[in-house]
Amino acid sequence: MTNALQPSEFEVQDIMINMGPQHPATHGVFRMVLQVDGEIVKDLIPHIGYMHRGAEKLSETMDFRQGIGFMDRTEYLAQFNAELGYVMAVEKLMDIEVPERAQWIRMILCELNRLSSHFMFTGAFGTDAGVFGTSFTYAFRWREEILDLFEEITGDRLMYAYFRPGGLAWEVTDNFEARVRQVLELSKQGIKDIDGLVTNNEIFKARTQGVGVLTKEQAIDWGTTGPVLRASGVQMDIRRDEPYLFYDQVEFDIPIGQNGDVYDRWCLRMEEMRQSVRIVEQCLTKLQPGPIQPERMPRMLRTPPGEVYIRTEAPRGEFGIYMVSKGGNRPHRLKVRSSCFANLQSLRDMSIGQYVADAVLALGSMDIVLCEVDR
Amino acid sequence: MKGILKSMATTLSTFARKPVTREYPETHKELPERDRAFPVLLWDKEAHEPFCTGCHACERACPVECMTVLMKDNPAHKSVGGESGRRKIIDKFWIDYGRCMRCNICVEVCNFDAITMNNTWEGHEKSVYDRADLVQDLPMLLSEHRSGELKPWVNE
Amino acid sequence: MNTLFGLPVALDALIRVLIIVSVMTVVVMGLIYVERKVLARFQQRLGPTRTGPMGLLQSVADALKLVAKEDVRPTNADPWVFELAPFLVFVPTFLGFVVVPFALAWSVRDLDLGLFYILAVSSVNIVGWVMAGWASDNRYAMLGALRAVAQSISYELPLVMAMIAVAMVADSLNISEIVRGQAMVPNIVWQPLPFLMFFICMLAEMNRPPFDIPVGESEVVGGPYVEYSGIRWSMFFLAEYASMFIMALLGAAVFLGGSAWPFGEQLGLPWQILLTVAKAGLIIFVVIWTRASFPRLRIDQLMSFSWKLLLPVSFAQIMVNGLILVYDLPYGMSHTLLAVCSAAGVLFVASAINRSVTSPRPRPLLIPRSEAAR
């Protein structure tokens, strides 16, 4: 047996696995190159940019009304939240007072949008974890009710283009309150369904607990926001810390995770959905009839020169709009501070040393929207 | 084991529920009044001509530049012996539905209420084999409202 | 040996094989339809509705499409191994049908080592999986094939051990004998733990969720199948469902009393076939149900579940069975003891699953908004 190959004579190589851009678990077109030793991830190189459409640059050529539609397309799961950031930036530049009713309706729609976005997360993440389509169909079935409501109000299922600088494009439907209450009841049922299907399942717990851990320090270092940051134990929610709209007039709880793993992120989002229902219920009691646009609105929106940064708490974290105006009817420069882009940076820290299947879960638990990452 | 059994109970409870699928081409969901498909032009049924005067307002406001508008003198204007009050009228109008992003801005800027978002299923079912077929000309844009299929939603 | 119409043995065997292959292929295609419909109901969908009345011809349409599709082979694939692999999965699976009793006197061959035979042939197809994964020259396929091997080997053992435990109680390895022995009480009453283990291992052997790790869509995108298309892919697919059918029939025969319980002997052939189909159908329903309900396990959890829990427990079950059966106790007493011990084993497994995941961990805090910021 002297001719047998000794371990020192051959080279042991890690395999590079190219996951994406076309891969069922990458939530769009995201590519990660995994260097694996068997099943263990040794290194992870994320590649983004496949969905870059230059939305920021394009917005510089759009006047303030046209730009709203592009914000929808930047963040296609939380469109109202994205629109809100944009119109709030314009309002702040122009110093417009928004009527109370418009603010409340905005808040209701944003929270419902958070609900629908989190439904989407539960569905997609369940599929990542391997629940064959069931969580996905559950989530879509209940999200559909919310989208139907949005369609009745705005006329479109996804690209609403409904918020306007100063208020709303048009009045909501007459049966708005009754419909919202109905949708809330259905959503509660949906939350119960998904909760029952996944949250307490031992297999799901075994798969997610202790996986993709991000410590408090790492989470802050990478600039993560939203549920990813809160799951790591940092108490930060822009709705509480820098209230916009009327978030300072409603009561809600902010869930804070203590382990920073994938399971905490899941539980946090489930809890946020319940809190969103609670917020909308409070908003409905405070909704009064009134105007939805300021009395005196210029026909052509022109801002004085200046710059402004607006941060809002979108479902995936801090959605910021930095707008520079040199006067005129369009922004000189628009920068979207994308929550997913910052969150995605922490993927490498979450995945190294874990199994390939865990890397998929870590990616899924961040609830990325590639459109928002690449813009 | 409790969670596993709970999962199975949840799926069993949905097994007993009625499926929510709509079989699309046979059964259409009822569209809300405000539904926005693609923009179409409105037909003035009293004057028997389009409302549109070809003023280019929508063309200028369109963020994706999907419209092309050409104006002409109205041959049916009072000054030339007709009955219409419109001095200018639309000559040619193209909308490229392949580019349109359905933002509703053209409807908002129109001074003559001549354009609206189609809220019928015909407005949504526009699939074609060739992109060029998505470019709609004036008769196509007018036909929906002219035939009475379309009841436009008016935002007061 | 009894042959059909007194034909020579070889001709008789050929006819039986042809019947099995043709009939079972149709049955399996029906099974695919059933799974799609049932799974759809679990997800509040309708499932296939377009092809034929209630979508009944969906499998036929799929089969036609797959046959008509181009058979693609990657340039760098190992041609012989690549093309041979589907057969090595397909043939052993269908070999299993040889000993399955559809009614008391209805099986292709009534082998004395039937149980042994079916377990042996059903594990051959793993060779085909490895060949497929290796020959595809694709890293996902390779990863999937290696996962498949690891999984198959680790779950083969508890499966065999569970079967041995039942065979000890039934006192036979002949499946027809085992079925006849259950005319009064099905084996599941005496041996619930081996049934549980059989069910779990069956899921793992068939790569069904929650053990669909080798083909896990969100990780290895179909595993060994990833480079296959057309008719070759459909052979893998057919084999998967055929093995599900065989395993369900086996479970029905060995644990649920097959065609013998209740009143199989007295009520005749149609009742026996109905019993077999109903019991196999029940198992298949539960298999689809688990598919709709569970997330996927991870490979290390899967392995440790088998080696650290199922295998020791199955050894314990065999030892307990041996200890009870070695003393010639009266029938009622010995079997009651068996049932009690086995049920205790089930409780142990359940609590072990519980313990392994419900470690105490801090739950998320709820901070009210009104609490001062920072």
Side-chain angles (χ1 to χ4, degrees), chain C residues 20-35 59 90 93-94 97 234-246:
Chain C
I20 281 294
V21 170
S22 52
V23 173
M24 279 309 122
T25 310
V26 174
V27 169
V28 166
M29 276 160 72
L31 189 61
I32 295 171
Y33 169 77
V34 168
E35 155 142 43
S59 296
F90 187 78
T93 310
F94 271 73
F97 280 114
S234 72
M235 282 167 80
F236 281 118
F237 198 61
L238 218 54
E240 194 184 320
Y241 280 81
S243 79
M244 178 161 129
F245 193 46
I246 290 179

Side-chain angles (χ1 to χ4, degrees), chain A residues 115-130:
Chain A
L115 203 54
S116 83
S117 170
H118 281 355
F119 266 130
M120 181 75 197
F121 161 76
T122 55
F125 185 67
T127 309
D128 283 346

Side-chain angles (χ1 to χ4, degrees), chain C residues 113-197:
Chain C
L113 281 174
L115 198 57
F116 206 72
Y117 167 81
I118 202 168
L119 293 173
V121 294
S122 70
S123 55
V124 172
N125 59 13
I126 192 62
V127 178
W129 284 63
V130 181
M131 283 165 67
W134 175 255
S136 297
D137 187 38
N138 181 309
R139 281 159 198 187
Y140 288 126
M142 193 63 219
L143 211 57
L146 292 179
R147 285 173 170 198
V149 180
Q151 171 170 338
S152 190
I153 289 173
S154 10
Y155 279 82
E156 203 67 51
L157 287 170
L159 183 65
V160 173
M161 292 301 156
M163 284 303 183
I164 288 175
V166 186
M168 286 167 85
V169 176
D171 211 10
S172 172
L173 280 172
N174 181 329
I175 298 182
S176 302
E177 286 288 308
I178 297 177
V179 172
R180 276 195 209 96
Q182 302 174 73
M184 303 304 291
V185 186
N187 276 338
I188 185 175
V189 177
W190 312 129
Q191 296 281 280
L193 178 63
F195 178 71
L196 182 71
M197 290 197 309

Side-chain angles (χ1 to χ4, degrees), chain C residues 6-296:
Chain C
L7 289 169
V9 176
L11 204 58
D12 169 76
L14 192 66
I15 291 171
R16 286 175 190 238
V17 164
L18 280 179
I19 291 174
I20 281 294
V21 170
S22 52
V23 173
M24 279 309 122
T25 310
V26 174
V27 169
V28 166
M29 276 160 72
L31 189 61
I32 295 171
Y33 169 77
V34 168
E35 155 142 43
R36 291 182 63 171
K37 271 293 195 193
V38 173
L39 200 61
R41 275 310 289 263
F42 276 120
Q43 302 172 350
Q44 300 188 47
R45 295 186 285 118
L46 288 173
T49 54
R50 292 305 160 100
T51 37
M54 290 156 51
L56 271 170
L57 298 177
Q58 184 64 47
S59 296
V60 180
D62 284 346
L64 285 177
K65 184 209 82 172
L66 286 169
V67 170
K69 251 176 115 168
E70 187 189 352
D71 184 17
V72 182
R73 194 181 69 213
T75 324
N76 291 336
D78 188 333
W80 277 97
V81 183
F82 185 83
E83 310 229 327
L84 216 62
F87 297 97
L88 261 143
V89 175
F90 187 78
V91 175
T93 310
F94 271 73
L95 280 177
F97 280 114
V98 169
V99 291
V100 172
F102 295 96
L104 279 180
W106 262 36
S107 55
V108 178
R109 282 281 184 269
D110 200 6
L111 298 183
D112 275 344
L113 281 174
L115 198 57
F116 206 72
Y117 167 81
I118 202 168
L119 293 173
V121 294
S122 70
S123 55
V124 172
N125 59 13
I126 192 62
V127 178
W129 284 63
V130 181
M131 283 165 67
W134 175 255
S136 297
D137 187 38
N138 181 309
R139 281 159 198 187
Y140 288 126
M142 193 63 219
L143 211 57
L146 292 179
R147 285 173 170 198
V149 180
Q151 171 170 338
S152 190
I153 289 173
S154 10
Y155 279 82
E156 203 67 51
L157 287 170
L159 183 65
V160 173
M161 292 301 156
M163 284 303 183
I164 288 175
V166 186
M168 286 167 85
V169 176
D171 211 10
S172 172
L173 280 172
N174 181 329
I175 298 182
S176 302
E177 286 288 308
I178 297 177
V179 172
R180 276 195 209 96
Q182 302 174 73
M184 303 304 291
V185 186
N187 276 338
I188 185 175
V189 177
W190 312 129
Q191 296 281 280
L193 178 63
F195 178 71
L196 182 71
M197 290 197 309
F198 165 76
F199 188 77
I200 293 172
C201 297
M202 173 178 97
L203 291 176
E205 283 286 296
M206 297 182 314
N207 300 317
R208 302 281 304 181
F211 304 108
D212 59 339
I213 299 163
V215 294
E217 211 163 272
S218 58
E219 294 148 26
V220 289
V221 226
Y225 305 157
V226 73
E227 294 289 359
Y228 282 88
S229 67
I231 185 82
R232 281 176 211 284
W233 183 81
S234 72
M235 282 167 80
F236 281 118
F237 198 61
L238 218 54
E240 194 184 320
Y241 280 81
S243 79
M244 178 161 129
F245 193 46
I246 290 179
M247 283 294 182
L249 282 170
L250 185 67
V254 174
F255 288 99
L256 302 181
S259 47
W261 178 85
F263 311 120
E265 204 90 52
Q266 292 89 333
L267 290 177
L269 189 65
W271 176 247
Q272 292 172 9
I273 291 179
L274 188 72
L275 275 180
T276 312
V277 170
K279 286 169 184 173
L282 185 70
I283 293 183
I284 287 170
F285 179 79
V286 180
V287 169
I288 299 171
W289 188 6
T290 54
R291 183 179 185 191
S293 310
F294 294 151
R296 187 181 303 126

